[in-house]
Amino acid sequence: MTEVKREVFGQMPQEEGGGVVEKFVLKSDSVKVEILSLGCIIAALEMKGRDGEFSDVVLGFDTLEGYTRKHPFFGTIVGRVANRIAKGRFTIDGKEYQLFLNNGPNSLHGGARGFDKVLWSPQVLRNGVCFFRLSPDGEEGYPGDLKVWVTYTLSGGELAINYRAQTSKTTPINLTNHAYFNLAGQGSPDIYDHEISIEADSYLPVDDTKIPTGEVAAVLGTSFDLRQPVELGKHLEKFHLDGFDHNFCLQQAQARHLAARVRHPPTGRAMEVHTTQPGIQFYTGNNLDSSLKGKGAIAYPKHSAFCLETQNWPDAINKPHFPNALLQPGDEYNHTTWLVFNVA
């Protein structure tokens, strides 16, 4: 059985439109998740270790103030389009759209005020919570009124995140959750002792602004071959890598498929990521630099967390040979990601 509780988390500042931010606590016998109505943020996720003790494995803040200030999308839903769009430009039916540039020459994670920075309308479910919002035509430069539903449900050790959307005009869409994990417990200094594997035969090389070059490259014989588990610290050292921030190409099937596994041998904590999406962005917290104080006023240094963002391939709107990024009126965008937490 999953227990669902709701409580007030805080009040948005007037300059951000005011409004009450609620926190929803989903609790099973093995996992406890806290989710905010601001940005559908996963603010905490507690899971058991081998010792039977619960530990929070998600980076974030203790108070609303942390989330209303600038931060690197801790736990948020990002959209309309997660990841990067080259030069913030795309063309639909001969019409060019220009987005706000918030990542060097590119647009990242929905723009200046994406889905991560707005209040959503919640509805409590038997085993979770569903958030809804209407993104109006022209918001952040995107076409069409977009209705979006994000539903979190918890069953035992499995947290499912379902994304649905409908549009009034053809629009690009790519929704994901941007939680930062450290299975040793948030606030632990690094993720070097984590073992990771990703079910991908190919990945997308990127240019120096992190936009895919268009090549779909085989992982075989490269540092991107994570098909067998690697210990992250040793792997980064072996290949002289600064970290990962790349899309790995998964099987393009609408059915649920395994995308990645992570294990933390010292505590026995493990997680699996399953999805219906064709890609997953593996990011090792390369831009964390101890300047942000998180929960318990702990600084978050470089490589102190990883993200596994299930997604369509970055810049797919400008790459015709990438999976389709457009949602048409009358169709429904519908994807699910399952995060499975256990002790191994």
Side-chain angles (χ1 to χ4, degrees), residues 177-241:
N177 177 278
H178 208 306
Y180 285 69
F181 293 97
N182 186 323
L183 298 185
Q186 74 82 29
S188 298
D190 61 61
I191 48 171
Y192 299 142
D193 58 356
H194 287 52
E195 290 176 356
I196 180 148
S197 60
I198 297 178
E199 301 284 313
D201 296 330
S202 53
Y203 77 102
L204 301 181
V206 293
D207 67 17
D208 55 7
T209 72
K210 300 278 198 301
I211 292 288
T213 60
E215 181 192 358
V216 181
V219 300
L220 185 65
T222 75
S223 60
F224 295 90
D225 192 346
L226 304 177
R227 291 173 296 182
Q228 295 299 316
V230 302
E231 188 179 318
L232 200 55
K234 287 179 180 163
H235 187 79
L236 295 179
E237 207 172 293
K238 176 184 173 183
F239 288 98
H240 308 292
L241 298 176

Side-chain angles (χ1 to χ4, degrees), residues 14-46:
Q14 281 311 120
E15 61 271 21
E16 295 282 330
V20 172
V21 178
E22 289 188 279
K23 177 168 82 176
F24 298 83
V25 183
L26 317 184
K27 192 169 179 232
S28 72
D29 55 357
S30 59
V31 172
K32 178 180 162 192
V33 194
E34 298 181 2
I35 305 160
L36 308 182
S37 57
L38 170 68
C40 306
I41 289 168
I42 297 178
L45 195 150
E46 296 180 16

Side-chain angles (χ1 to χ4, degrees), residues 79-92 95-115 135-144 170-174 211 314-318 325-326:
R80 272 185 204 192
V81 175
N83 218 303
R84 294 167 180 84
I85 294 179
K87 301 185 173 55
R89 281 204 296 265
F90 58 88
T91 301
I92 298 174
K95 181 177 178 187
E96 186 175 271
Y97 294 86
Q98 178 64 58
L99 308 173
F100 184 77
L101 304 180
N102 62 335
N103 186 248
N106 306 315
S107 181
L108 175 71
H109 291 333
R113 193 166 187 264
F115 288 5
S135 171
D137 185 16
E139 182 174 62
E140 285 297 322
Y142 288 98
T170 303
T171 187
I173 181 170
N174 184 19
I211 292 288
D315 201 35
I317 184 70
N318 292 312
L326 290 176

